[in-house]
Amino acid sequence: MCEAAEGSTTGNRGSSEVSLRTMGSGFRSREASSAPTSGGPGGGVVAPEAPALSRWGSGSPLTRLVRQREFGIIAVGVVLFAVFSLASSGTFDSFQTWGGIGSSAAELGIVSVGVGFLMISGEFDLSVGANFAFAALVMATMVHDGYPPIEGLLVDLGIGIGIGLLNGIVTVFLNIPSFIATLGTYFLWSAVVLIVTGGTTITILPPTPTLLNVLGGFIGDQMRSEILWWLGIALVVGVVLHRTVTGNWIYAIGGKRMAAREAGVAVARTRVLAFVLCGMLAAFAGAVQLAHLGSMSAGYGSAYQLEAIAASVVGGCALTGGRGSMVGIVVGTVILQMLASGLILSGVSPYWYQAVVGIIIIVAVAMHTRIGAVVHGAES
Amino acid sequence: MSAPTTNDEQEHAARGPLWLEARSITKQFGAVIALSDVDVSFSLGEVVGLIGDNGSGKSTFVKILSGVYQASSGSLLVEGKPVRFHSAADARAMGVETVHQDLGLVDSMSIARNFFLGAERRKGPFLDLKRMERETSAMLREIGLGNLRAIGQDVSRLSGGERQAISIGRAVAFQRKMLILDEPTSALSIQETEKVFEFMRAARDRGLAVLAVMHNLTQVRDVADRFVVFYHGRKIADIVNTGQSEQDLAHYIIEGKLAEMGIEREQVDMGVIRAITTE
Amino acid sequence: MRRGAGAGNHAWRGRGGGGARLLGVAAVVVALGAWFVGVAAGPALAASAHHTTSKSARHAESPRAKKPKKAKLPKHGKLTYYFVSHGCPTTTFWVNVWNGARDAGKQFGVNVKILKVTTAQCTNVSAVVTLLSTAIAAHPNGIVATVESPTAFSSALKTATHDGIPVVVMNTAPTNTGKPTATNPYLAYIGQDNYTAGVEAGTEAIKLFHLKSGEPVVIVDQEPTNISLTARDKGIEAAMGPAGITTTVVNTSTTVSSGTSVLSAYLTTHKTVKAIMELGPTGAQQAVGALKADNLKGIPIGGFDLSSTVLNYIKRGLVGFTLDQQPYLQGYYSVEELFLRSTVGAAPVTIYTGPAFLTPKNVKKLGKFVTLTGY
């Protein structure tokens, strides 16, 4: 939603005429192909038709579309969709399939929104799977024992925020790399959840409380409300990421932390905030899955940390931070879920699933780095 | 030839009032004396070129001015009043903007977002991207960078000179009083260097005190209104640029070096001078 | 019932078969009994029913019987069944289940697509639900599923029923007995009643190990999140509690070595323990290992499921008995029931493939048949 929207605006192109007192083009920008070259080696010559400073520079709308960082991965998604639709003899592009894909994508997707946000700030959270199960199990126990579901949800979110805060404090103030810090808290919370619950599965038998239906019940025949929660959260966090100061700082911190600090960005506070958001969303995803499945156990969140990182990477988030977009994170999640179902429905041996995911990750990353280089002509 | 003079009496045509004064600055790191009793003053509307070999103390001096280090003794005065810079943020708050080599910009962000980083323009809770882009391109044009292809492109796609332009433009736009540039041209081609000088002059003409740390004598002649030379932690020359030849400049520096070594010029034959000049 | 081989009774009970059930199923049921009890005719039938196309067939010493006569069945196109389970891809137990399903597929000429969670998702029920939803979206001729939660699979199972896709549940059912409900509709359950198995194991242990009131027994739970193991544990407690025997659950680990040290530490500090009940092969390895580490002798072990290691323990007398639920047959029967349903409309019936007792006494006689099914 967000980067794409930016791309479609033309910014101040119309209003900015280049003043003639501009001191020529002693050097030119690296997009040599389209920049005027009349400056010549001597410099100081005014380019007669100096282009206005448009948002994305010259080029047809198509060229500009292709320049979007997400274009490649969206194209991959569309191609996969077409291939699966043809190969599955009509079972893939059905509402039923997409209801299923949507549900599982929603739960992973809510986790991925937080993980991707954090990744753009240059950090990891490997504890989301444990956080997910722990927070949701506490909520499940509370609902099961007759507490109002809303209290359960608040406690769930509180646990997520607390875990995120701890991750942030350990990483930022103890200066431990987040990969290590959250690996530590992953083990910690995985153990705590077993210690507290003894490993039992908590089941909330019907009648399902209203709140749980709101979080994960059916709306219509095939679709569950969790899809709306996911897209809504992605929209809100996407706006924060792309359209607010906080988001700007997240990119800056992930891109070059020193530069951000020099520019007066509240680096420590913003980094901790990203961890808190990630923790809170992991816990919320747990609540949503509890609502969907009606049960929760210590093992339910397993594998989410790696899948969420995979979804973010496929969607264009750089492992080193500073790059990525909400559209990309959402599309990355959809592609991963689409692969899981599409391969099965196309009759490919499911053994291939992980292999294909691996290939897609590598292709996506190669594409994100190469497309930028080729399209923007940075090789010159 | 007269002895090198301090600049205090000699007015540069466009020079504005005195802004920052460094008085008797000494900096010690343990037993090592990095700066010893250095006095330099900076006026608005003037480009000062700070010259010196490696280890001459010029980066230590710059770090003291930008608040990264604190002086062991001596004082800083802004508009005649003593100030203390405890941090880089303090210095920036007072109006001193320092552009470190390739450190100030986030490669993965657009020009406008970089330009306004830490001082984003807002419309309600949201970024006012259009306004930021408009103001960025206006400011860049004003300091002489008008031929960027797109304001929405990432900084990573810009040349070294264009990056300097953005940093310099930022200092101008946010009405800093003093701009410190650390080796702004060291990685640039001749053409780009000339452009960066344009930006520096543009900043000066808008009333900033500009301090450029450089080691290339030829280049510094093109841009500086005044030269300050450091040698072994001391200021050995402080000369207004009156269009001296490179040779003249070298002599000032040599004389300063010789004086620092306690040698009278008359005692030295030209062989030694050549040796020192080419140092 | 179910004393072991000497008793001459087979240990499985099937709910009455529907009138339409074919000879094929009858033959399999008979073969099953024969297979386990070791009646003279058993090996031939068992081999014909299950192993003519399996890899393990080359180990069969029994004469190879003729293949089932497919010509007798009504014509059908290539049938496709999806086999969805929560089994970890690398667990021996599940490898046997899938071998059974695959062999049945080959034998009946149907396409069996086995869907598995990834190793990282092994405890992730949501992943299994997603697989099941995808399988339903493919509209196959039938689905075999495991149901690990009374609520999580409900809407998927309802959708399948609504879409007219026959579903057979195997190994793990939302109720102890495997009986389908309105919340979780499906046609039949192939597996074991883990609670009942627990009760039987507890009763057997009291008798076999001469346990008396007031004596402490340790239950080794290597995977506390597994509801099947929890049901077994509850069954054991239900059998031992009334006899006055005190039971303590020690949660170990799915990793043999670390679980062994946990149990070893417990036994060192609790010297009065009179018997160890383990809930699966991993627990059995941990129990044997802990006794060896502590140099303890004379504490008997009993438990559940079968692996080549457990078989070896039983042969050497290290484990007193194990309750086998025959994973190979669970896979095989599930596909077979769907096949019969697709071809002749036979209503699938619930089949309990266990518990069957294997002890040092009958292991000699049964060992090679056990090996046949690929432990």
Side-chain angles (χ1 to χ4, degrees), chain A residues 91 96-97 104 107 194 198-199 201 203-204 218 224 289 293-295 299-300 302-304 307 341 344-345 347 350-351 354, chain C residues 82 102 113-116 118 120-121 123-126 130-131 134 136-139 149-152 155 159 163 224-225:
Chain A
T91 51
Q96 196 170 10
T97 304
S104 48
E107 291 155 18
L194 283 176
T201 301
T203 300
I204 296 164
F218 274 106
R224 286 177 179 275
Q289 188 172 87
L293 299 179
S295 61
Y300 282 19
S302 73
Y304 271 144
E307 287 180 18
S341 297
I344 292 171
L345 293 176
Y351 287 118
Q354 290 188 82
Chain C
Y82 279 80
R102 229 177 262 123
K113 290 179 182 275
I114 296 169
L115 308 187
K116 300 172 192 173
T118 63
Q121 292 169 330
T123 51
N124 191 332
V125 168
S126 172
T130 307
L131 287 182
T134 307
I136 292 167
H139 288 282
S149 153
T151 51
S155 65
T159 308
D163 292 358
T225 54

Side-chain angles (χ1 to χ4, degrees), chain B residues 156-221:
Chain B
S156 62
R157 316 217 177 281
L158 301 184
S159 67
E162 288 168 326
R163 285 158 183 252
Q164 293 286 349
I166 290 163
S167 300
I168 295 168
R170 204 152 69 170
V172 174
F174 295 120
Q175 295 173 341
R176 307 276 189 246
K177 293 292 189 183
M178 183 167 174
L179 172 64
I180 301 175
L181 296 145
D182 188 9
E183 297 287 358
T185 59
S186 62
L188 302 184
S189 68
I190 294 167
Q191 281 178 30
E192 287 206 324
T193 299
E194 183 47 44
K195 277 305 284 186
V196 170
F197 289 167
E198 295 280 347
F199 306 143
M200 287 164 65
R201 288 184 199 111
R204 175 197 64 194
D205 294 345
R206 292 178 62 89
L208 272 78
V210 179
L211 170 63
V213 178
M214 299 178 79
H215 62 265
N216 184 323
L217 277 186
T218 319
Q219 287 186 354
V220 81
R221 281 177 63 241

